[in-house]
Amino acid sequence: NISNNSSKIFTVQKSEDYDLSIDVSEISYGQKAFVNVTVPNDAKGFVTLTITGTDINEELPIENSHAIFELDEYLLSSGTYEVKVSFADDNYALKTSTADLTVNKAQPNLIITSEDIVYGYNETLEINITNYNAHGLVNISVYDEAGNELYRNN
């Protein structure tokens, strides 16, 4: 009895046709930012995340087809930063995606304290900024009831 056996070797290529999406929250200075990366349901391993103009270069673990990065408040100054993520594993070829992270200028809460005075007397204003680690100058302008500028400190 003669039998014919044959074999063939074939290679399965890694998938290049998959979604690697980034959801980035727009924030104001002083707020935490969140970056949510979505990969295929069966992806395993890590996603690499970098943010241009910073020292941030992280490997994020994938859990339930997501990798999440939390950026501490006050870490980035106002501006726009490019978030770049890369992913590859045994089944998926290397892919890179980018998204912009916008950090808006903070809107500080100013508390101005003064007292009623009689015309011709001096007044001292107390100005407090109650949130954020603000620095710089506070510009003060004083107007009369008709909208005419009476005083400007700069």
Side-chain angles (χ1 to χ4, degrees), residues 58-85:
E58 299 282 332
E59 282 198 345
L60 310 173
I62 297 170
E63 295 179 18
N64 299 319
S65 73
H66 293 278
I68 298 173
F69 180 69
E70 182 178 323
L71 184 67
D72 289 337
E73 59 267 49
Y74 302 115
L75 193 58
L76 298 177
S77 298
S78 62
T80 301
Y81 300 85
E82 181 183 70
V83 177
K84 182 177 178 181
V85 296

Side-chain angles (χ1 to χ4, degrees), residues 14-32:
K14 291 183 177 187
S15 176
E16 295 178 2
D17 184 28
Y18 66 94
D19 288 328
L20 177 63
S21 63
I22 309 170
D23 181 28
V24 180
S25 57
E26 183 173 325
I27 62 169
S28 292
Y29 177 74
Q31 295 178 324
K32 287 186 178 188

Side-chain angles (χ1 to χ4, degrees), residues 3-51:
S3 66
N4 286 334
N5 289 332
S6 65
S7 64
K8 179 119 178 152
I9 297 175
F10 62 94
T11 303
V12 176
Q13 299 293 324
K14 291 183 177 187
S15 176
E16 295 178 2
D17 184 28
Y18 66 94
D19 288 328
L20 177 63
S21 63
I22 309 170
D23 181 28
V24 180
S25 57
E26 183 173 325
I27 62 169
S28 292
Y29 177 74
Q31 295 178 324
K32 287 186 178 188
F34 294 91
V35 178
N36 183 7
V37 181
T38 304
V39 294
N41 288 336
D42 61 342
K44 294 175 179 54
F46 295 87
V47 171
T48 302
L49 176 139
T50 58
I51 299 178

Side-chain angles (χ1 to χ4, degrees), residues 71-118:
L71 184 67
D72 289 337
E73 59 267 49
Y74 302 115
L75 193 58
L76 298 177
S77 298
S78 62
T80 301
Y81 300 85
E82 181 183 70
V83 177
K84 182 177 178 181
V85 296
S86 300
F87 169 73
D89 72 3
D90 292 341
N91 297 317
Y92 295 97
L94 178 64
K95 184 177 268 193
T96 300
S97 293
T98 61
D100 285 340
L101 167 61
T102 301
V103 180
N104 298 309
K105 290 184 177 185
Q107 297 297 316
N109 184 18
L110 295 176
I111 297 176
I112 303 171
T113 305
S114 67
E115 296 183 20
D116 291 337
I117 60 170
V118 176

